[in-house]
Amino acid sequence: LMVTAVGGTLIEGWWDPATVAANPGIMTTKDKRTGKGIVPGILFNQYVAPVVGYGIKGTMWIQGEQNTYDTVMTPKYAEQFKMIINGWRKAWGQGNFPFIYGQLSSERPNKPNMVLDTTAFIAMVREAQREALKLPNTAMAVMCDFKSGGWHYPQKPEAGYRLALPAKALLYGQKNLEYEGPLYSGIKIKGNKAIIKFTHTGSGLMAKDGDLKSFVIAGKDHKWAAATAVINGDQIEVSSPEVAEPTEVRYGWQDRVTGNLYNKEGLAASPFRSDIL
């Protein structure tokens, strides 16, 4: 077990040398909270390079908190995170080994009376992490329902359990194990309702502690309204009397997620957006 844990870091510090060399436009950036500069690749060189070349079974990754404070860099996290995954795999030269990671938990409080926060930087990073699932042999453990304790949530045993599930399924042959929470996979419009499709529904979708929460819906005018969401089999029907002709839906698009969608295996659904901004 090789641990390269360093707290409070920006993602660009973990790029491998080949990735940095292939992107000469990458500049030294600053941590917005500390004001300290970060040189791209410096953390990889210090903490990861010494173990490159050892046989690797897979990676478990939790990072992103420090990339949620910057109006310039935060929207680029999707590209930057994929550079980590692709770059590390190339550095080891052992194929697309499993890259398992934890989605960001909840830390900052939401703004009052908010239907949709367009500057929810934590939500942006979570969405970027969800997008990385497009890469082969990746898996994500959702952590945003860990609400207390800030970034350092006290539910470490539950976090470890959720991260271990993909390893059991992808590495150790537990074929029938549901290892992720529900993941958005598509949208279909039917009259005044948006029908949301999911993968990883396990033995069924469920709302924890009451009706589904944290869904919002909009039409072509992109004016968002709080929505009613109802489970129908492995899909969810979303609607609002304020939106007669819906086109897009979001779930959990907040810094501190209030959503309560799970599969019956007890794994939380990832926040998502069906629209592309």
Side-chain angles (χ1 to χ4, degrees):
L1 179 65
M2 299 176 288
V3 181
T4 58
V6 187
T9 63
L10 292 162
I11 194 169
E12 46 266 49
W14 294 103
W15 288 328
D16 62 286
T19 296
V20 175
N23 294 271
I26 294 175
M27 302 296 292
T28 301
T29 59
K30 286 187 177 181
D31 184 323
K32 292 296 182 179
R33 300 184 75 186
T34 66
K36 296 180 180 179
I38 182 73
V39 176
I42 189 172
L43 297 170
F44 182 95
N45 293 336
Q46 185 173 358
Y47 294 99
V48 183
V51 297
V52 171
Y54 282 87
I56 188 167
K57 192 76 172 180
T59 296
M60 286 186 176
W61 171 274
I62 294 181
Q63 187 276 336
E65 298 90 343
Q66 295 304 108
N67 287 87
T68 65
Y69 297 92
D70 193 315
T71 57
V72 175
M73 297 302 290
T74 297
K76 299 179 180 179
Y77 192 87
E79 176 187 2
Q80 295 171 335
F81 186 36
K82 289 176 183 176
M83 290 163 66
I84 289 285
I85 298 173
N86 290 328
W88 284 31
R89 286 172 168 173
K90 290 178 181 178
W92 256 274
Q94 296 181 31
N96 293 330
F97 58 77
F99 203 102
I100 301 165
Y101 55 94
Q103 196 181 45
L104 285 187
S105 59
S106 296
E107 195 266 344
R108 294 194 287 274
N110 294 321
K111 295 177 181 178
N113 303 318
M114 179 191 68
V115 171
L116 179 75
D117 184 0
T118 57
T119 61
F121 292 149
I122 299 176
M124 290 182 188
V125 171
R126 287 196 197 103
E127 177 70 0
Q129 292 170 323
R130 188 179 69 86
E131 288 181 22
L133 292 173
K134 296 175 183 177
L135 295 179
N137 219 11
T138 55
M140 180 178 73
V142 175
M143 309 290 195
C144 60
D145 57 330
F146 298 163
K147 295 183 174 65
S148 61
W151 295 129
H152 297 283
Y153 45 82
Q155 300 97 324
K156 295 297 191 299
E158 178 65 19
Y161 169 75
R162 294 184 186 183
L163 284 164
L165 289 175
K168 291 179 179 181
L170 300 177
L171 287 171
Y172 299 109
Q174 296 189 23
K175 301 297 184 183
N176 297 320
L177 178 68
E178 179 53 83
Y179 61 88
E180 286 184 309
L183 292 172
Y184 167 78
S185 64
I187 183 172
K188 180 175 67 175
I189 305 302
K190 187 175 181 180
N192 65 343
K193 294 181 179 180
I195 313 299
I196 306 300
K197 301 177 182 179
F198 295 88
T199 58
H200 292 282
T201 55
S203 54
L205 298 173
M206 61 173 282
K208 188 175 182 179
D209 301 325
D211 297 333
L212 287 173
K213 299 180 288 187
S214 201
F215 281 86
V216 294
I217 193 168
K220 293 181 180 179
D221 58 3
H222 305 295
K223 292 182 179 180
W224 294 93
T228 298
V230 179
I231 295 172
N232 184 357
D234 288 343
Q235 301 178 339
I236 292 180
E237 298 178 354
V238 186
S239 63
S240 170
E242 300 178 40
V243 182
E245 298 180 2
T247 59
E248 51 201 3
V249 169
R250 290 183 177 185
Y251 167 73
W253 195 262
Q254 304 158 301
D255 279 342
R256 181 168 293 175
V257 177
T258 58
N260 59 342
L261 175 61
Y262 290 74
N263 57 31
K264 291 182 179 178
E265 284 68 23
L267 301 175
S270 171
F272 68 86
R273 59 180 181 181
S274 68
D275 53 306
I276 300 175
L277 300 182

